[in-house]
Amino acid sequence: LERRSGDLNEEERDYIRKSAEAARTRKRQRVAAAALVVLLIAAFAGKSTYDQSQKTQAVEQEQQIDQLILAAGESANAGEIDAALASYSEALKIAPNHPAALIRRGTLLDAQGKQEAAIQDFSALIDSNVDPNDLTFLSPGDMATALQDYCRSRKQPAPESEGQLIR
């Protein structure tokens, strides 16, 4: 664990990249499933949570984040580490717990020898996870409120808008 990413061989780096991507995919799937549950419960409770402008805003934010992360990756590949860090930081201003931005910025910070800053990003990533198996979600009266209460009880930013709940 004390080795830096520069000390890893290509096979080890590839394994880490693939593992991180698989973890991100699993997290996206869990979040999507939780969002679907929220929407279904709201629909069956007679509440209409669908608002086209909020959905459009959420989609636009996701696209902006994706563009920032793509630009950061291109900057990092070109050796422009400060530009990459700035792009990841911009993405995190929009979505403070975005897994890909936290992992990649943390990795770059670690490679620069900024372990404390890297640890903060990795800790934020770990702390931002929602456990869908938590008993809070077993039989909530209002799933959106249950998710917000769950986040607040763990000192995480609670989703407020429909777009944040979906993400």
Side-chain angles (χ1 to χ4, degrees):
L1 291 175
E2 294 182 21
R3 295 185 342 184
R4 298 201 192 287
S5 61
D7 296 337
L8 300 175
N9 65 40
E10 188 58 38
E11 182 177 316
E12 291 169 320
R13 278 185 285 223
D14 189 49
Y15 174 78
I16 290 170
R17 278 192 294 271
K18 287 179 181 176
S19 296
E21 185 59 40
R24 285 190 296 275
T25 299
R26 287 190 302 274
K27 183 172 181 177
R28 281 188 214 115
Q29 290 169 340
R30 286 193 308 269
V31 170
L36 180 59
V37 168
V38 169
L39 293 173
L40 288 173
I41 289 173
F44 284 110
K47 297 179 183 177
S48 175
T49 59
Y50 181 81
D51 176 35
Q52 187 61 39
S53 66
Q54 287 179 329
K55 182 178 177 184
T56 300
Q57 182 182 10
V59 168
E60 288 171 356
Q61 282 183 337
E62 280 299 317
Q63 290 173 341
Q64 185 178 7
I65 292 167
D66 290 344
Q67 289 171 350
L68 286 165
I69 290 173
L70 180 63
E74 291 171 355
S75 295
N77 289 337
E80 300 168 358
I81 303 305
D82 289 337
L85 289 170
S87 291
Y88 288 133
S89 295
E90 278 298 310
L92 290 166
K93 285 180 186 175
I94 299 167
N97 295 317
H98 195 281
L102 286 169
I103 289 170
R104 294 173 184 168
R105 186 175 75 174
T107 302
L108 286 177
L109 290 167
D110 181 54
Q112 286 188 320
K114 299 176 182 176
Q115 279 74 33
E116 289 300 317
I119 288 170
Q120 287 179 348
D121 279 359
F122 295 137
S123 295
L125 177 67
I126 292 167
D127 294 341
S128 70
N129 288 327
V130 173
D131 178 8
N133 297 319
D134 191 278
L135 295 177
T136 304
F137 305 116
L138 181 61
S139 182
D142 177 7
M143 182 60 86
T145 302
L147 182 59
Q148 291 166 334
D149 291 345
Y150 175 89
C151 291
R152 288 185 190 113
S153 73
R154 285 158 181 77
K155 309 269 189 267
Q156 298 177 19
E160 299 299 334
S161 70
E162 179 185 0
Q164 290 172 335
L165 284 165
I166 291 172
R167 271 187 268 136

